[in-house]
Amino acid sequence: MDRAVQLATDPRAPRGENPRVGCVILDSSGEFLSEGFHAGAGTPHAEVVALQAAGRAAAGGTAIVTLEPCRHTGRTGPCTKALIDAGIARVVYGQSDPTDAASGGAAELRAAGIEVVAGIEEAAAREVNAEWTVAVSRNRPFVTAKLAVSLDGRVAGYGGQRVQLTGAPAQRYAHELRARVQAIITGTGTVLADDPSLTVREVPVPPAGQPLRVIAGRRSIPPEAKIRNDEAPTLVVPDHDPVALLADLYQRGVRHALLEAGPTLLRAFLEAGCVDRLDYLLAGIWLGSGPRGLPPGPRLDLPGEVIETRALGQDVLIGYSLANLDPGAAADPIPSLRSA
Ligand code: AOF
Ligand code: ZN
């Protein structure tokens, strides 16, 4: 299973609409035969890749998979059928499939006379798809919101002027974060004030390409704005409503989105219960004046828990998880998000 988890996180396996999955096949005497990973929506599932490499020798063997084999026909055929047809005797998996469409594979395999062992190294297997798992259980993308605030609680300088708050290590972290998501959401206010390009730079661009840039708001964006360049796809959504926006992004296959917006849009997302993790960056700088992180508004209770603290040079990252407290969330906590 360790090897299967490693395969699932192959650098060529994209984070995206589909989970990352790894599979190892052993022959009937328990010797290693083959392995495979899922390379993204539309490509064969990990089990099928590994079974193809194994050929007839898989008969009587064991399949070790990080995720419960699917039993549905989606873009590709059911893995349960592939395993049964190959004559696999035993299936060992980590995480149960949390989707309505694909779950139930274990029962189907058992009904076909295959021995099934579930929950092996489940925490490690879940960790691979931590945000995806939350997303599919809610039918909306997992949302990480990033907020950088000065020591005196400001997000910009006098009159809202853009100020570089964080240092190089925190900037790098921000790009690592962008590289892990499929969409970066901002508002027209931020585009007009800061002219961000919202692309992954400082770290390798993910295998699925630059994340989708999403701009919420009605104000018009000048043609020379960096967000209009062709370095990444861009979507302009006039509607501000976070729930509608996230439903749209989920339809487009986004399972993890990053909110890099100003105070107004951030507050709207928080009020709508649409933030799962807040990446609060306490920047080691004192501004003395300027707008605060959140505009005044109705009382906002955000019960959650700090799951990570990290010094990033002069700045401090505080990862605050709200994922387990949403009434729509799965009943069991998500330990994997704790060790992110
Ligand atoms: C597996 N093995 O390697 C993966 C699984 O319609 P598709 O073909 O893109 O299927 C996507 C769904 O199948 C996905 O939401 C998840 O439930 C499951 N993914 N299952 O047995 C795999 N990637
Ligand atoms: Zn499958």
Side-chain angles (χ1 to χ4, degrees):
M1 187 59 84
D2 286 340
R3 178 62 191 150
V5 168
Q6 218 174 47
L7 287 161
T9 57
D10 187 286
R12 290 164 293 175
R15 296 172 189 264
E17 179 172 359
N18 276 5
R20 298 183 298 165
V21 182
C23 176
V24 175
I25 309 279
L26 309 179
D27 69 15
S28 54
S29 56
E31 293 298 316
F32 173 89
L33 259 185
S34 66
E35 59 185 27
F37 64 88
H38 177 57
T43 70
H45 288 188
E47 298 91 317
V48 171
V49 174
L51 283 172
Q52 263 164 9
R56 300 171 79 90
T62 299
I64 303 160
V65 203
T66 53
L67 183 70
E68 177 185 12
C70 72
R71 57 158 189 94
H72 79 306
T73 302
R75 296 180 181 87
T76 64
C79 288
T80 45
K81 182 173 186 302
L83 292 161
I84 294 164
D85 291 351
I88 286 287
R90 201 161 163 253
V91 171
V92 178
Y93 70 84
Q95 178 186 5
S96 296
D97 190 302
T99 68
D100 291 335
S103 62
E108 193 169 304
L109 293 168
R110 284 196 186 102
I114 294 177
E115 182 193 347
V116 178
V117 185
I120 300 302
E121 288 187 44
E122 191 178 352
R126 280 180 82 109
E127 172 72 40
V128 174
N129 296 303
E131 291 86 5
W132 178 87
T133 301
V134 175
V136 298
S137 66
R138 297 203 183 151
N139 292 306
R140 68 151 175 83
F142 183 98
V143 176
T144 299
K146 195 183 72 130
L147 172 64
V149 167
S150 71
L151 291 172
D152 55 332
R154 320 279 175 175
V155 292
Y158 181 74
Q161 205 179 10
R162 184 191 157 92
V163 175
Q164 183 58 44
L165 293 169
T166 51
Q171 284 299 105
R172 189 185 161 84
Y173 174 79
H175 283 272
E176 284 168 2
L177 192 54
R178 286 180 180 177
R180 295 181 56 192
V181 305
Q182 297 94 55
I184 304 169
I185 307 168
T186 198
T188 44
T190 299
V191 170
L192 295 173
D194 294 353
D195 192 24
S197 47
L198 299 183
T199 52
V200 176
R201 295 184 301 278
E202 303 189 21
V203 298
V205 174
Q210 288 280 358
L212 176 69
R213 301 181 287 200
V214 182
I215 309 161
R218 290 213 159 75
R219 280 191 276 172
S220 68
I221 301 156
E224 68 275 13
K226 286 199 196 115
I227 205 111
R228 288 203 185 272
N229 66 24
D230 57 9
E231 285 165 22
T234 306
L235 176 71
V236 180
V237 189
D239 195 353
H240 260 120
D241 173 46
V243 173
L245 174 59
L246 292 177
D248 180 4
L249 294 183
Y250 192 83
Q251 282 298 316
R252 293 170 190 267
V254 174
R255 298 292 177 266
H256 187 183
L258 173 63
L259 181 66
E260 281 198 49
T264 313
L265 198 56
L266 175 60
R267 184 177 245 287
F269 268 74
L270 290 171
E271 283 179 7
C274 286
V275 175
D276 301 297
R277 172 174 165 133
L278 186 64
D279 268 1
Y280 184 93
L281 282 158
L282 182 57
I285 184 174
W286 190 278
L287 292 183
S289 70
R292 308 237 172 219
L294 285 181
R299 173 178 168 151
L300 189 55
D301 288 314
L302 288 178
E305 92 187 276
V306 173
I307 55 171
E308 184 180 7
T309 54
R310 210 197 298 182
L312 293 168
Q314 65 182 37
D315 312 310
V316 180
L317 166 71
I318 301 168
Y320 188 66
S321 171
L322 303 151
N324 303 324
L325 300 153
D326 184 315
D332 59 328
I334 298 146
S336 45
L337 290 173
R338 236 161 272 272
S339 55

